[in-house]
Structures are given as C-alpha cells and as structure tokens.
Amino acid sequence: MPTDPETPGESDNPAADAMPRWEQVVEDMAATATAYRERGWDAHEIHPGDVAVAAGDVERTGVELLAPDNEFDPLVDAFDGTAAFERAEVFRADTGGTVYAVVAFENEAAATAVLTPVYYSPGEHEDFVAMVEREGEVRVHVRPLDERRVLTFTVEDPSGFLPDGE
C-alpha cells in the first residue's frame, strides 16, 4: 500500500492522510483572508494549535479552537470593537470521512472578518452531529492556552457542518 503523504486516502496512516488536507484548509483560509483584505476589510486568521468538538454534558458545546496569543490578543480587540459578527459563511469539503471547513465570521459595518479552520469526523462525533441537528446552530469558541477569555461566535446555518445528505 502506498505511503506517499502527497496521495491522500492511499496511506495506511490516517494522520499522514490528514496533514495535506489540513494544510490545504489553512491555505484556503489564507486565500479567503486575502480576498477580504483586497476589499478593504480587516481579516483575522486563527491558526489553532488544537481543534476539538464537544457535545453533551460539558461546559462549552460546539467547536473549540486553541489560538496562539499573537492571534488571540488582536482578535479580542476586534471582538470588543464590533457590535457583533452577524454573518457566518462556511466553506467546506468532505474528504475521507472528515469534514474540513473554513468559517468566516463577518461584521459588515466594521468591515471585519474572523477566519477559522475547523475539522471533525462525523463517524467519531455522532453526538456532535446530533446536537447540531437538534440546536440548528454551531458555536465556535476561540481561546488562548491560559483560558483568560473565551470568545464565542455562532454559525446560525449549520448545514456546512453536517455530513453530506443531512
């Protein structure tokens, strides 16, 4: 069986398959941020050190991103300086049983966007899928390692997070 990480889906190592896909999502996020900046917007890219999904009996349900301080601190200023991020757009791809997406949260009046890459496996996170279907929204929490503050964004149309056909 081939183990070339440049050929996703053909390796016997799932982690080797995931890395090129994740790198593509991060590249897509950068391209999307550039498009916002070309329109004169302030675009904040979050490059999470960890992405987790949570549902059920936990403090925060949804997607949680661990942001580096050098991205989190400017994000706090943007978050506090806008009334709300009233629109969210999900750009996604299903690949090998995993949902990968870039989520763009927008505040049009402030011309500010926050872009986050996310991923999860619907087969491994059935409780998350059920929660999204039941609640009709997805919360995305962004926090630094010390959890000095957690910023929560809401995706009101969860279809971009649901597996194909849901």
Side-chain angles (χ1 to χ4, degrees):
M1 183 172 270
T3 58
D4 178 6
E6 297 301 316
T7 312
E10 294 182 19
S11 169
D12 56 0
N13 180 352
D17 287 346
M19 188 52 75
R21 293 179 180 132
W22 179 249
E23 290 170 353
Q24 182 61 54
V25 169
V26 172
E27 288 173 15
D28 291 348
M29 178 180 70
T32 304
T34 297
Y36 277 105
R37 291 181 186 115
E38 288 173 351
R39 293 179 13 215
W41 285 49
D42 186 17
H44 297 269
E45 298 172 62
I46 303 303
H47 297 84
D50 187 38
V51 177
V53 297
D57 190 21
V58 293
E59 182 180 345
R60 289 186 294 266
T61 59
V63 179
E64 186 160 311
L65 307 174
L66 176 60
D69 285 344
N70 67 331
E71 293 176 357
F72 184 78
D73 293 335
L75 178 60
V76 168
D77 293 340
F79 189 88
D80 290 346
T82 61
F85 288 86
E86 65 275 348
R87 184 171 180 273
E89 190 165 355
V90 179
F91 307 95
R92 77 134 235 213
D94 283 336
T95 311
T98 300
V99 172
Y100 293 92
V102 172
V103 184
F105 298 97
E106 298 179 349
N107 179 307
E108 190 169 351
T112 301
V114 174
L115 297 113
T116 65
V118 299
Y119 73 93
Y120 82 99
S121 173
E124 294 177 24
H125 299 100
E126 293 174 359
D127 55 341
F128 175 75
V129 173
M131 180 194 74
V132 170
E133 291 172 335
R134 181 178 61 253
E135 294 183 1
E137 68 180 23
V138 177
R139 287 167 299 286
V140 177
H141 311 284
V142 182
R143 67 172 182 85
L145 185 59
D146 66 7
E147 290 199 45
R148 63 185 172 272
R149 186 158 176 202
V150 178
L151 305 178
T152 300
F153 300 86
T154 303
V155 178
E156 293 181 358
D157 176 4
S159 60
F161 282 89
L162 295 172
D164 282 338
E166 304 262 336

